[in-house]
């Protein structure tokens, strides 16, 4: 047949070219660790990315080589993303909160050739340098002694033609935090990243436009800051970056920069809400928050809703670029009561076009989307993993491309997905499942409870029974009886924890989630009084 459309490969650099051309003066603001606030814009980022691409070529970096970063959110980090990808490199964001042996494993496994880092992580770099086998060049983002980022690009030409290629070529590498075994690398491609970014600006996910000002309170090393640095250039969003997430600084940035959208994990918002409650400050122009990475407690969702801020509760994972679902308002939003809206937002939302979900039982039989059956959640789509980086053991997917997420979920008839647990975290009591997430979030709704973790501990009759570990809110006294009383109004009687223990703090993963493996280990020999 004659006629047709153009071949326009979905390459990441087209995102930046578009932003430079159409939204060049839209700002990128960076608050650096030293307190300095640097202003650039999409045109400036594109210009510096071309200079960096030239510099990387000068260092001998070639197409496909890995360039690593160990840094918080800032404009120079963003330039490094685009400059690396633009010269054909594969950008590898390393999570500095990992343990030393994991950092060494990851950098060596990725065969990183250059490492860009924040001055704050210089001690870490000095400590591990001898063990990084493949890194030849170290560049500090902050003005520091030796060669810094600005020195590296200063004399470079502003002209550079981005390396072209197939849209299925790799562009970025992120390792999952690997709560068991070694971390695994997830390799994002140009096409997967562009499709994901195009979907992210839509009302189904972040709802971004040229008037949006976005402060990601999720680090660029955590699943690519949930893809925001790739979505923002499409809509011409103003980005506000910060090296640290102290609530006071977040409030100042929101007010001074006119932030309309923000995103972060529940622990970030917990700290923020407790700050707002004591300081009496408000959320300024904030219109919408995306909460994801762990289940958002109901009390947190209510806090925002009461202040007129739309909450979209998102679910995803590194293996999914990371967006799987998000709680965009459904068609009947206007007719919903406040309680119905909060109920809706407590669940993890619906898929955008591009993600398919199903739940299966332990034998792999597909379960109905009836709002009752719960099973292993599987996903597939153009931004879902096919195979881990350099993994000889084969694809990460099963038959027909379904990837097992390791989560347990319910699918409702209207398409809403509800995570009930991670399959490793469910508490198996008398052949039935108790959702640790639901117990934890119900507990956090009890006045005086700052944070809670539910773990299953051995019980001779029931196999496992829930033990609830609670961190008290500072200066507030709360008793186990009061917590049980509160929980009785939220969950089934047989779900109530057999015991409640108060602890000073709870362990977290490198991405701010409760570290359940550590808790399970710590309490594996715990004897419940009910088991006597
Ligand atoms: P990790 O490296 O720790 O796996 P990810 O960010 O990829 O880091 O974690 C993905 C997991 O986080 C999901 O599989 C799920 O268990 C959990 N998760 C993410 N978002 C939510 C949410 N909104 N509610 C409940 N759990 C969530």
């Amino acid at each position: 047949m004659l006629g047709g459309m153009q071949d326009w490969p979905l390459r990441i650099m087209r995102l930046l070219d578009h932003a430079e051309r159409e939204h060049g003066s839209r700002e990128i603001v960076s608050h650096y660790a030293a307190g300095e606030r640097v202003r650039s814009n999409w045109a400036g980022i594109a210009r510096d990315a071309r200079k960096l691409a030239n510099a990387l070529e000068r260092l001998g970096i070639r197409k496909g080589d890995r360039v690593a970063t160990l840094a918080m959110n800032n404009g120079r980090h963003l330039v490094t993303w685009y400059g690396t990808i633009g010269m054909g490199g594969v950008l590898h964001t390393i999570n500095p909160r990992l343990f030393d042996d994991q950092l060494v494993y990851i950098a060596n496994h990725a065969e990183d050739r250059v490492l860009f880092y924040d001055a704050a992580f210089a001690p870490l770099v000095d400590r591990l340098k001898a063990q990084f086998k493949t890194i030849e060049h170290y560049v500090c983002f902050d003005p520091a002694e030796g060669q810094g980022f600005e020195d590296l690009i200063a004399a470079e030409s502003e002209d550079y033609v981005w390396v072209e290629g197939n849209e299925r070529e790799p562009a970025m590498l992120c390792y999952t935090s690997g709560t068991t075994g070694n971390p695994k690398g997830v390799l994002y491609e140009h096409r997967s990243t562009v499709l994901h970014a195009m979907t992210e600006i839509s009302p189904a996910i972040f709802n971004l436009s040229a008037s949006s000002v976005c402060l990601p309170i999720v680090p660029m090393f955590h699943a690519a800051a949930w893809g925001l640095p790739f979505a923002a250039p499409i809509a011409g969003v103003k980005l506000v970056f910060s090296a640290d997430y102290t609530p006071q600084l977040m409030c100042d940035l929101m007010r001074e920069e006119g932030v309309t959208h923000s995103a972060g994990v529940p622990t970030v918002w917990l700290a923020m809400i407790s700050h707002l409650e004591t300081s009496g400050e408000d959320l300024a122009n904030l219109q919408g928050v995306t909460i994801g990475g762990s289940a958002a407690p109901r009390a947190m969702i209510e806090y925002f809703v009461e202040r007129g801020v739309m909450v979209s509760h998102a679910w995803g994972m590194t293996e999914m670029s990371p967006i799987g679902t998000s709680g965009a308002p459904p068609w009947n939003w206007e007719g919903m009561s406040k309680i119905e809206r909060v109920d809706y937002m407590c669940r993890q939302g619906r898929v955008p076009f591009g993600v398919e979900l199903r739940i299966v039982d332990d034998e792999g039989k597909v379960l109905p989307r009836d709002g009752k059956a719960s099973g292993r959640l599987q996903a597939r789509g153009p931004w879902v993993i096919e195979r881990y980086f350099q993994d000889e053991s084969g694809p990460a997917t099963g038959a027909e491309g379904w990837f097992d997420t390791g989560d347990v979920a319910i699918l409702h008839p209207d398409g809403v997905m509800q995570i009930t647990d991670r399959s490793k975290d469910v508490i198996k009591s008398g052949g039935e499942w108790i959702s640790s997430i639901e117990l934890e979030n119900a507990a956090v709704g009890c006045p005086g409870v700052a944070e809670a973790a539910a773990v299953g501990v051995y019980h001779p009759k029931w196999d496992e029974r829930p033990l609830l570990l609670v961190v008290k809110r500072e200066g507030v006294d709360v008793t186990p009886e009061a917590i049980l009383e509160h929980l009785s109004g939220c969950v089934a009687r047989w779900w109530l924890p057999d015991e409640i223990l108060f602890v000073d703090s709870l362990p977290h993963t490198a991405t701010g989630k409760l570290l359940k493996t550590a808790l399970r280990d710590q309490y594996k020999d715990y004897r419940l009084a009910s088991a006597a």
Side-chain angles (χ1 to χ4, degrees), residues 80-145:
T80 306
W81 279 32
Y82 281 106
T84 299
I85 296 169
M87 58 81 59
V90 173
L91 192 269
H92 173 204
T93 46
I94 307 182
N95 181 344
R97 297 178 193 149
L98 294 172
F99 298 119
D100 282 5
D101 52 353
Q102 291 178 317
L103 292 167
V104 169
Y105 172 86
I106 286 176
N108 290 339
H109 186 260
E111 298 176 55
D112 296 325
R113 292 193 61 197
V114 188
L115 176 66
F116 290 85
Y117 62 97
D118 285 347
F121 303 123
L124 188 160
V125 171
D126 290 341
R127 191 167 71 235
L128 303 179
K129 223 172 189 168
Q131 297 176 65
F132 291 147
K133 295 198 193 104
T134 55
I135 301 176
E136 300 152 46
H137 307 281
Y138 290 86
V139 184
C140 184
F141 278 133
D142 304 81
E145 284 169 40

Coordinates of all heavy atoms in Angstrom, one line a residue, residues 80-145:
T80 N 23.3 15.8 33.8 CA 24.1 14.5 33.6 C 23.2 13.4 33.0 O 23.7 12.6 32.2 CB 24.7 14.1 35.0 OG1 25.4 15.2 35.5 CG2 25.6 12.9 34.8
W81 N 21.9 13.4 33.5 CA 21.0 12.4 32.9 C 21.0 12.6 31.4 O 21.2 11.7 30.6 CB 19.6 12.6 33.4 CG 19.3 12.0 34.8 CD1 20.2 11.9 35.8 CD2 18.1 11.5 35.2 NE1 19.6 11.3 36.9 CE2 18.3 11.1 36.6 CE3 16.8 11.4 34.7 CZ2 17.2 10.6 37.4 CZ3 15.8 10.9 35.5 CH2 16.0 10.4 36.8
Y82 N 20.6 13.8 31.0 CA 20.4 14.0 29.5 C 21.7 14.0 28.7 O 21.7 13.5 27.6 CB 19.6 15.3 29.3 CG 18.1 15.2 29.6 CD1 17.5 15.7 30.8 CD2 17.3 14.5 28.7 CE1 16.1 15.5 31.0 CE2 15.9 14.3 28.9 CZ 15.4 14.8 30.1 OH 14.0 14.6 30.3
G83 N 22.7 14.6 29.3 CA 24.0 14.6 28.6 C 24.5 13.2 28.3 O 25.0 12.9 27.2
T84 N 24.4 12.3 29.3 CA 24.8 10.9 29.2 C 24.0 10.2 28.1 O 24.5 9.6 27.2 CB 24.7 10.2 30.5 OG1 25.6 10.8 31.5 CG2 25.1 8.7 30.4
I85 N 22.7 10.3 28.3 CA 21.8 9.6 27.4 C 21.9 10.2 25.9 O 21.9 9.4 25.0 CB 20.3 9.7 27.9 CG1 20.2 9.0 29.2 CG2 19.3 9.1 26.8 CD1 18.9 9.2 29.9
G86 N 22.2 11.5 25.9 CA 22.3 12.1 24.6 C 23.5 11.7 23.8 O 23.6 11.7 22.6
M87 N 24.6 11.3 24.5 CA 25.8 10.8 23.8 C 25.8 9.3 23.7 O 26.8 8.7 23.3 CB 27.1 11.4 24.4 CG 27.4 11.1 25.9 SD 28.1 9.4 26.1 CE 29.5 9.6 25.1
G88 N 24.6 8.7 24.0 CA 24.5 7.2 23.8 C 24.9 6.4 25.0 O 24.8 5.2 24.9
G89 N 25.2 7.1 26.1 CA 25.6 6.3 27.3 C 24.4 5.8 28.0 O 23.2 6.1 27.7
V90 N 24.6 5.0 29.0 CA 23.5 4.5 29.8 C 23.7 5.0 31.2 O 24.7 4.8 31.9 CB 23.5 2.9 29.9 CG1 22.5 2.4 30.9 CG2 23.3 2.3 28.5
L91 N 22.7 5.8 31.6 CA 22.8 6.5 32.9 C 22.4 5.6 34.0 O 21.4 5.0 34.0 CB 21.8 7.7 32.8 CG 21.8 8.8 33.8 CD1 20.9 8.6 35.0 CD2 23.2 9.2 34.3
H92 N 23.3 5.5 35.0 CA 23.1 4.6 36.1 C 23.0 5.4 37.4 O 24.0 5.8 37.9 CB 24.2 3.5 36.2 CG 24.1 2.7 37.4 ND1 25.2 2.0 37.9 CD2 23.1 2.3 38.2 CE1 24.9 1.3 39.0 NE2 23.6 1.5 39.1
T93 N 21.7 5.5 38.0 CA 21.6 6.2 39.2 C 21.7 5.2 40.4 O 21.1 4.2 40.4 CB 20.1 6.8 39.3 OG1 19.2 5.8 38.9 CG2 20.0 8.0 38.4
I94 N 22.7 5.5 41.3 CA 22.9 4.6 42.4 C 22.3 5.3 43.7 O 22.4 6.5 43.9 CB 24.5 4.5 42.6 CG1 25.1 4.0 41.3 CG2 24.7 3.5 43.8 CD1 26.6 3.7 41.5
N95 N 21.7 4.4 44.4 CA 21.1 4.8 45.7 C 22.1 4.9 46.8 O 22.6 3.9 47.3 CB 19.9 3.8 46.0 CG 19.2 4.2 47.3 OD1 19.7 5.0 48.1 ND2 18.0 3.6 47.5
P96 N 22.5 6.1 47.2 CA 23.6 6.2 48.2 C 23.2 5.7 49.6 O 24.1 5.6 50.4 CB 23.8 7.8 48.3 CG 22.6 8.4 47.7 CD 21.9 7.4 46.8
R97 N 21.9 5.4 49.8 CA 21.5 4.9 51.1 C 21.7 3.4 51.2 O 21.4 2.8 52.3 CB 20.1 5.2 51.4 CG 19.8 6.7 51.4 CD 18.4 7.0 51.7 NE 18.1 8.5 51.4 CZ 17.0 8.9 51.0 NH1 16.0 8.1 50.7 NH2 16.8 10.2 50.8
L98 N 22.2 2.7 50.2 CA 22.4 1.3 50.3 C 23.7 1.0 51.2 O 24.5 1.9 51.4 CB 22.7 0.7 48.9 CG 21.4 0.8 48.0 CD1 21.9 0.3 46.6 CD2 20.3 -0.1 48.5
F99 N 23.8 -0.2 51.6 CA 25.0 -0.6 52.4 C 26.2 -0.6 51.4 O 26.1 -0.8 50.2 CB 24.8 -2.0 52.9 CG 23.7 -2.1 53.9 CD1 22.6 -3.0 53.6 CD2 23.6 -1.4 55.0 CE1 21.5 -3.1 54.5 CE2 22.5 -1.5 55.9 CZ 21.5 -2.4 55.6
D100 N 27.4 -0.5 52.1 CA 28.6 -0.4 51.3 C 28.8 -1.6 50.3 O 29.2 -1.4 49.2 CB 29.8 -0.4 52.2 CG 30.1 1.0 52.8 OD1 29.2 1.9 52.6 OD2 31.1 1.2 53.5
D101 N 28.5 -2.8 50.9 CA 28.8 -4.0 50.0 C 27.8 -4.0 48.8 O 28.2 -4.4 47.7 CB 28.8 -5.3 50.7 CG 27.6 -5.5 51.6 OD1 26.8 -4.5 51.7 OD2 27.5 -6.6 52.2
Q102 N 26.6 -3.4 49.0 CA 25.7 -3.4 47.9 C 26.1 -2.3 46.9 O 26.0 -2.5 45.6 CB 24.3 -3.0 48.4 CG 23.6 -4.1 49.2 CD 22.3 -3.6 49.7 OE1 22.1 -2.5 50.2 NE2 21.3 -4.5 49.7
L103 N 26.6 -1.2 47.4 CA 27.1 -0.1 46.5 C 28.3 -0.6 45.6 O 28.3 -0.4 44.4 CB 27.6 1.1 47.3 CG 26.5 1.9 48.0 CD1 27.1 2.8 49.0 CD2 25.7 2.6 47.0
V104 N 29.2 -1.4 46.2 CA 30.3 -1.9 45.5 C 29.8 -2.9 44.5 O 30.2 -2.9 43.3 CB 31.3 -2.5 46.5 CG1 32.4 -3.3 45.7 CG2 32.0 -1.5 47.4
Y105 N 28.9 -3.8 44.9 CA 28.4 -4.8 44.0 C 27.7 -4.1 42.8 O 28.0 -4.5 41.6 CB 27.4 -5.7 44.7 CG 26.6 -6.6 43.8 CD1 27.2 -7.8 43.4 CD2 25.4 -6.2 43.2 CE1 26.6 -8.7 42.5 CE2 24.8 -7.1 42.3 CZ 25.4 -8.3 42.0 OH 24.7 -9.1 41.1
I106 N 26.9 -3.1 43.0 CA 26.2 -2.5 41.9 C 27.1 -1.8 40.9 O 27.0 -2.0 39.7 CB 25.1 -1.5 42.5 CG1 24.0 -2.2 43.2 CG2 24.6 -0.5 41.5 CD1 23.0 -1.3 43.9
A107 N 28.0 -1.0 41.5 CA 28.9 -0.3 40.6 C 29.8 -1.2 39.7 O 30.0 -1.0 38.5 CB 29.8 0.7 41.4
N108 N 30.2 -2.3 40.3 CA 31.0 -3.3 39.6 C 30.2 -4.1 38.6 O 30.6 -4.3 37.5 CB 31.8 -4.2 40.6 CG 32.9 -3.5 41.3 OD1 33.3 -2.4 40.9 ND2 33.2 -4.0 42.5
H109 N 29.0 -4.4 39.0 CA 28.1 -5.2 38.2 C 27.7 -4.4 36.9 O 27.7 -4.9 35.8 CB 26.9 -5.7 39.0 CG 26.0 -6.6 38.2 ND1 24.8 -6.2 37.6 CD2 26.1 -7.9 38.0 CE1 24.2 -7.2 37.0 NE2 25.0 -8.3 37.2
A110 N 27.5 -3.1 37.2 CA 27.1 -2.3 36.1 C 28.3 -1.9 35.2 O 28.1 -1.4 34.1 CB 26.4 -1.0 36.6
E111 N 29.5 -2.1 35.7 CA 30.7 -1.7 35.0 C 30.7 -0.2 34.7 O 31.0 0.2 33.6 CB 30.9 -2.6 33.7 CG 31.1 -4.0 34.0 CD 31.2 -4.9 32.8 OE1 32.1 -4.6 31.9 OE2 30.4 -5.8 32.6
D112 N 30.4 0.6 35.7 CA 30.4 2.0 35.5 C 31.7 2.6 35.2 O 32.7 2.1 35.8 CB 29.9 2.7 36.8 CG 28.5 2.3 37.2 OD1 27.6 2.2 36.2 OD2 28.2 2.2 38.4
R113 N 31.8 3.5 34.3 CA 33.1 4.1 33.9 C 33.4 5.5 34.5 O 34.5 5.9 34.7 CB 33.3 4.2 32.4 CG 33.4 2.8 31.7 CD 33.8 2.9 30.3 NE 35.1 3.4 30.2 CZ 35.6 3.9 29.0 NH1 34.9 3.9 27.9 NH2 36.8 4.5 29.0
V114 N 32.3 6.2 34.8 CA 32.4 7.5 35.4 C 31.4 7.6 36.5 O 30.4 7.0 36.5 CB 32.0 8.6 34.4 CG1 32.3 10.0 34.9 CG2 32.6 8.4 33.0
L115 N 31.8 8.3 37.6 CA 30.9 8.5 38.7 C 30.8 10.0 39.0 O 31.8 10.7 39.3 CB 31.4 7.8 39.9 CG 30.5 8.0 41.2 CD1 29.1 7.4 41.0 CD2 31.1 7.4 42.4
F116 N 29.6 10.5 38.9 CA 29.3 11.9 39.3 C 28.7 11.8 40.7 O 27.8 11.0 40.9 CB 28.2 12.5 38.4 CG 28.8 12.8 37.0 CD1 28.8 11.8 36.0 CD2 29.3 14.1 36.7 CE1 29.3 12.1 34.7 CE2 29.8 14.4 35.4 CZ 29.8 13.4 34.4
Y117 N 29.1 12.7 41.6 CA 28.6 12.6 43.0 C 28.4 13.9 43.7 O 29.1 14.9 43.3 CB 29.4 11.6 43.8 CG 30.9 12.1 44.0 CD1 31.2 12.8 45.1 CD2 31.8 11.9 43.0 CE1 32.5 13.3 45.3 CE2 33.1 12.4 43.1 CZ 33.5 13.1 44.3 OH 34.7 13.6 44.4
D118 N 27.5 14.0 44.6 CA 27.4 15.2 45.5 C 28.5 15.2 46.5 O 28.9 14.1 47.0 CB 26.1 15.1 46.3 CG 24.8 15.4 45.4 OD1 25.0 15.9 44.3 OD2 23.7 15.1 45.9
A119 N 29.0 16.4 46.9 CA 30.0 16.5 47.9 C 29.6 15.8 49.2 O 30.4 15.2 49.9 CB 30.3 18.0 48.2
A120 N 28.3 15.8 49.5 CA 27.8 15.1 50.7 C 28.2 13.6 50.7 O 28.3 13.0 51.7 CB 26.3 15.3 50.8
F121 N 28.4 13.0 49.5 CA 28.7 11.6 49.4 C 30.2 11.4 49.2 O 30.6 10.2 48.9 CB 27.9 10.9 48.3 CG 26.4 11.1 48.6 CD1 25.6 11.6 47.6 CD2 25.9 10.7 49.8 CE1 24.2 11.8 47.9 CE2 24.5 10.9 50.1 CZ 23.7 11.4 49.1
A122 N 31.0 12.5 49.3 CA 32.5 12.3 49.1 C 33.1 11.3 50.1 O 33.9 10.5 49.7 CB 33.2 13.7 49.2
P123 N 32.7 11.3 51.4 CA 33.3 10.3 52.3 C 33.0 8.9 51.8 O 33.9 8.0 51.9 CB 32.5 10.6 53.6 CG 32.1 12.0 53.5 CD 31.8 12.2 52.1
L124 N 31.8 8.7 51.3 CA 31.4 7.3 50.8 C 32.3 7.0 49.6 O 32.8 5.9 49.5 CB 29.9 7.4 50.4 CG 29.1 6.2 50.0 CD1 27.7 6.6 50.2 CD2 29.4 5.9 48.6
V125 N 32.5 7.9 48.7 CA 33.3 7.7 47.5 C 34.7 7.4 47.9 O 35.3 6.4 47.5 CB 33.2 8.9 46.6 CG1 34.3 8.8 45.4 CG2 31.8 9.1 46.0
D126 N 35.3 8.2 48.9 CA 36.6 7.9 49.3 C 36.8 6.5 49.9 O 37.8 5.8 49.7 CB 37.1 9.0 50.4 CG 37.2 10.3 49.7 OD1 37.4 10.4 48.5 OD2 37.2 11.4 50.5
R127 N 35.8 6.2 50.7 CA 35.8 4.9 51.4 C 35.8 3.7 50.4 O 36.4 2.7 50.7 CB 34.6 4.8 52.3 CG 34.6 3.7 53.3 CD 33.5 4.0 54.4 NE 32.2 3.8 53.9 CZ 31.2 4.8 54.0 NH1 31.5 6.0 54.5 NH2 30.0 4.5 53.5
L128 N 35.1 3.8 49.3 CA 34.8 2.7 48.5 C 35.6 2.7 47.2 O 35.6 1.7 46.4 CB 33.3 2.6 48.1 CG 32.4 2.5 49.4 CD1 30.9 2.4 48.9 CD2 32.8 1.2 50.2
K129 N 36.3 3.8 46.9 CA 37.0 4.0 45.7 C 37.9 2.8 45.3 O 37.9 2.3 44.1 CB 37.9 5.2 45.8 CG 37.9 6.1 44.6 CD 38.7 7.4 45.0 CE 38.5 8.4 43.9 NZ 39.0 9.7 44.2
A130 N 38.6 2.3 46.3 CA 39.5 1.2 46.0 C 38.8 -0.1 45.5 O 39.4 -0.9 44.9 CB 40.3 0.9 47.2
Q131 N 37.5 -0.2 45.9 CA 36.8 -1.4 45.5 C 36.0 -1.2 44.2 O 35.5 -2.2 43.7 CB 35.8 -1.8 46.7 CG 36.6 -2.1 47.9 CD 35.6 -2.4 49.1 OE1 34.8 -3.3 49.0 NE2 35.6 -1.5 50.1
F132 N 35.8 0.0 43.8 CA 35.1 0.2 42.5 C 36.1 -0.1 41.4 O 37.1 0.6 41.1 CB 34.7 1.7 42.3 CG 33.6 2.1 43.2 CD1 33.6 3.4 43.7 CD2 32.6 1.3 43.6 CE1 32.5 3.9 44.6 CE2 31.6 1.7 44.5 CZ 31.5 3.0 45.0
K133 N 35.9 -1.3 40.7 CA 36.9 -1.8 39.8 C 36.9 -1.1 38.4 O 37.9 -1.2 37.7 CB 36.7 -3.3 39.6 CG 36.8 -4.1 40.8 CD 37.0 -5.6 40.5 CE 36.9 -6.5 41.7 NZ 35.6 -7.2 41.8
T134 N 35.8 -0.6 38.0 CA 35.7 -0.1 36.6 C 35.7 1.4 36.5 O 35.7 2.0 35.4 CB 34.5 -0.7 35.9 OG1 33.4 -0.4 36.7 CG2 34.6 -2.2 35.8
I135 N 35.5 2.2 37.6 CA 35.3 3.6 37.5 C 36.7 4.3 37.3 O 37.6 4.1 38.0 CB 34.6 4.2 38.8 CG1 33.3 3.5 38.9 CG2 34.5 5.7 38.7 CD1 32.5 3.9 40.2
E136 N 36.7 5.1 36.2 CA 38.0 5.7 35.8 C 38.0 7.2 36.1 O 39.0 7.8 36.3 CB 38.2 5.6 34.3 CG 38.3 4.2 33.8 CD 37.9 4.0 32.3 OE1 38.3 4.9 31.5 OE2 37.1 3.1 32.0
H137 N 36.8 7.8 36.2 CA 36.7 9.2 36.4 C 35.7 9.6 37.5 O 34.6 9.0 37.5 CB 36.2 9.9 35.1 CG 37.1 9.6 33.9 ND1 38.3 10.2 33.7 CD2 36.9 8.7 32.9 CE1 38.8 9.7 32.6 NE2 37.9 8.8 32.1
Y138 N 36.1 10.4 38.4 CA 35.2 10.9 39.4 C 34.9 12.4 39.3 O 35.9 13.1 39.2 CB 35.8 10.6 40.8 CG 35.9 9.1 41.1 CD1 37.0 8.4 40.7 CD2 34.9 8.5 41.8 CE1 37.1 7.0 41.0 CE2 35.0 7.1 42.1 CZ 36.0 6.4 41.7 OH 36.1 5.1 42.0
V139 N 33.7 12.8 39.3 CA 33.4 14.2 39.1 C 32.4 14.6 40.2 O 31.3 14.0 40.4 CB 32.7 14.5 37.7 CG1 32.5 16.0 37.5 CG2 33.5 13.9 36.6
C140 N 32.8 15.7 41.0 CA 31.9 16.1 42.1 C 31.0 17.2 41.5 O 31.4 18.1 40.8 CB 32.8 16.7 43.2 SG 31.8 17.2 44.6
F141 N 29.7 17.1 41.9 CA 28.7 18.1 41.4 C 28.9 19.5 42.1 O 28.7 20.5 41.5 CB 27.3 17.6 41.7 CG 26.7 16.7 40.7 CD1 26.1 15.5 41.1 CD2 26.8 16.9 39.3 CE1 25.6 14.6 40.2 CE2 26.3 16.0 38.4 CZ 25.7 14.9 38.8
D142 N 29.3 19.5 43.3 CA 29.5 20.7 44.0 C 30.8 21.3 43.8 O 31.8 20.6 43.6 CB 29.3 20.5 45.5 CG 27.9 19.9 45.8 OD1 27.8 18.6 45.7 OD2 27.0 20.6 46.2
P143 N 30.9 22.7 43.8 CA 32.2 23.3 43.6 C 33.1 22.7 44.7 O 32.8 22.9 45.9 CB 32.0 24.8 43.8 CG 30.5 24.9 43.6 CD 29.8 23.6 44.0
A144 N 34.1 22.0 44.4 CA 35.0 21.4 45.4 C 36.4 21.4 44.9 O 36.7 21.9 43.8 CB 34.6 19.9 45.6
E145 N 37.3 20.9 45.7 CA 38.7 20.8 45.3 C 38.8 19.8 44.2 O 37.9 18.9 44.1 CB 39.6 20.4 46.4 CG 39.8 21.5 47.4 CD 40.4 20.9 48.7 OE1 41.3 20.1 48.5 OE2 40.1 21.4 49.8

